[in-house]
Amino acid sequence: MQLAVIGTGYVGLVTGACLAELGHSVTCLDIDKGKIAALQAGEVPIFESGLEELLERNGDTGRIRFTTDYAAAIPGAEAVFVAVGTPSLATGHADLSQVTSAAAALAPHLDRGATVVMKSTVPVGTTRTMQATIQEARPDLAFEVASNPEFLRQGAAVDDFMHPDRIVIGTISERAEATMRRIYHPFVSTGVPMLFMRIEGAELVKYASNAFLAIKLAFVNEIADLCEQVGADIEDVTTGVGLDSRISNRFLAAGPGFGGSCLPKDTQALLHTSQVHGAPSRVVGAAVDANLGRRSGMARKVVTAAGGSLQGKQIAVLGLTFKANTDDLRESPAVDVVRALIGLGAKVRAFDPQGMGQARRILPDVDYASGTYEAIDGADVLVILTEWAEFATLDLARVRQALAEPVVVDLRNLYDPAEMAAAGFHYHSIGRPVATPSS
Ligand code: UGA
């Protein structure tokens, strides 16, 4: 099938590459000329596991192309996926200006019978508003719309696209339903559930899924705090709780709180929508508040580990991205924690395997090391903030030797407290008793 994807951010680019991998002929469009020129030259602007190979393979066979020209991308496309950004405004509203301008720009070129598919995460009602915008520009055109939310984790987006738990489609049009069935036929034929529902339902599935994940994390982090007070171990508690199949053991890792470009933004947007429609969500509001408060709590943990003050202390920070396997620092708990540490008088030397470029812009007061052990050298406290695999396999003897004081604050629970005690560390983690050197 001939398809178009508007927007080459991580959702649009992954969607375009994966649709090409499914055998479709895909044109990806972005108004950012620099980005398109880079993609045409074979450069991949984001760090996303498996994406480069997919773009190379499908670029070679001509199944994926890049353009800035709507007149080149839209005519002939049976479906046009809209995957533009919907950032948060200060008010908590989603900024829909990119959706509106994409709809206005694609309308003149849309074929009769084509389906415009909303892939961006948008507040309930936006897909119908987009339909109205297009119809206004082309009053005589018969076309369809559908909502098709994405459930792609950054860092695992290609894998999530190619192995979905479910495909959700919001449409009331039989023609759009038939188009979407053909697009996703390779998944449906292997048994992936494909759900059809009203447009509003599909839009809400996305927000409710992300909000539920956020609530799950905010809750598990509160239980971790309680574990620290009562002498329990959060790993025991989540293992016990997660074996209840109604709860599941996934997305139960306690840590410095949720971040990224999705959970914080989508919970805010859902709060806003629920207020506007007179059905306020106290549960989501509590999760958002708890998560924000957690960041200063993490900084206090470092102060305690350092003996009560950070004034003049040298702190080594490993990990700045909001989670491992991404170069993204948006809403990263690490950024707020580092700012708080500096505010409390600490000198921070940091290292992150992929996030240094963004970090230098956001955190100018940090001294950046070129590797893990350089960051640690001479530090009074080592703080681990992101669960990169290389931070979970440190040479503990070397770390012990490099640190001025043997104090480790592990906000991702990468190590076993007994092992850290045996290696000579004062080891502070999340929801587990503090371990002190056993020899
Ligand atoms: C999230 C959802 O997981 C995707 O399903 C969704 O499609 C995506 O948002 C989106 O809306 O586009 P993502 O933001 O990439 O994906 O990141 P997650 O892997 O969900 O992690 C979110 C945050 O929760 C991170 O800060 C991570 O460190 C934290 N987290 C996650 C934990 O603290 N513990 C866990 O067990 C899992």
Side-chain angles (χ1 to χ4, degrees), residues 250-274:
R250 295 182 65 194
F251 232 76
L252 272 188
F258 60 81
S261 64
C262 305
L263 265 46
K265 170 171 81 79
D266 293 349
T267 42
Q268 284 293 355
L270 181 58
L271 276 179
H272 186 261
T273 303
S274 60

Side-chain angles (χ1 to χ4, degrees), residues 70-300:
Y70 278 88
I74 310 300
E78 288 183 67
V80 178
F81 288 79
V82 175
V84 295
T86 56
S88 275
L89 293 168
T91 53
H93 295 65
D95 173 359
L96 300 174
S97 56
Q98 294 182 46
V99 173
T100 310
S101 47
L106 73 84
H109 308 286
L110 197 61
D111 278 2
R112 185 184 167 75
T115 300
V116 182
V117 185
M118 182 65 87
K119 209 35 156 167
S120 301
T121 300
V122 290
V124 179
T126 308
T127 307
R128 285 194 196 275
T129 307
M130 176 186 75
Q131 181 175 21
T133 305
I134 299 170
Q135 196 74 76
E136 213 170 287
R138 300 280 304 277
D140 300 329
L141 182 73
F143 69 100
E144 314 298 338
V145 290
S147 159
N148 172 211
E150 53 82 14
F151 306 102
L152 310 175
R153 287 165 302 162
Q154 274 180 258
V158 169
D159 199 47
D160 284 348
F161 192 103
M162 299 309 279
H163 303 99
D165 290 336
R166 75 296 205 193
I167 296 166
V168 173
I169 308 289
T171 190
I172 46 169
S173 147
E174 280 177 19
R175 184 156 51 180
E177 180 173 334
T179 301
M180 299 312 288
R181 280 194 196 281
R182 282 195 293 132
I183 293 171
Y184 289 117
H185 177 72
F187 294 141
V188 178
S189 64
T190 57
V192 174
M194 190 166 185
L195 312 178
F196 288 91
M197 60 186 73
R198 293 171 62 87
I199 293 176
E200 292 74 11
E203 289 171 332
L204 207 47
V205 167
K206 169 63 192 226
Y207 281 105
S209 299
N210 273 0
F212 192 87
L213 293 172
I215 291 163
K216 200 172 180 185
L217 288 180
F219 177 73
V220 86
N221 285 334
E222 278 188 346
I223 295 294
D225 290 346
L226 183 58
C227 284
E228 288 175 21
Q229 299 309 315
V230 301
D233 182 327
I234 187 67
E235 308 294 339
D236 294 337
V237 176
T238 49
T239 304
V241 169
L243 283 169
D244 185 324
S245 58
R246 293 169 303 175
I247 297 172
S248 115
N249 59 3
R250 295 182 65 194
F251 232 76
L252 272 188
F258 60 81
S261 64
C262 305
L263 265 46
K265 170 171 81 79
D266 293 349
T267 42
Q268 284 293 355
L270 181 58
L271 276 179
H272 186 261
T273 303
S274 60
Q275 285 286 355
V276 167
H277 291 275
S281 172
R282 286 196 288 270
V283 179
V284 177
V288 168
D289 289 347
N291 192 57
L292 282 179
R294 186 153 191 83
R295 297 177 178 200
S296 46
M298 295 297 101
R300 281 197 298 277

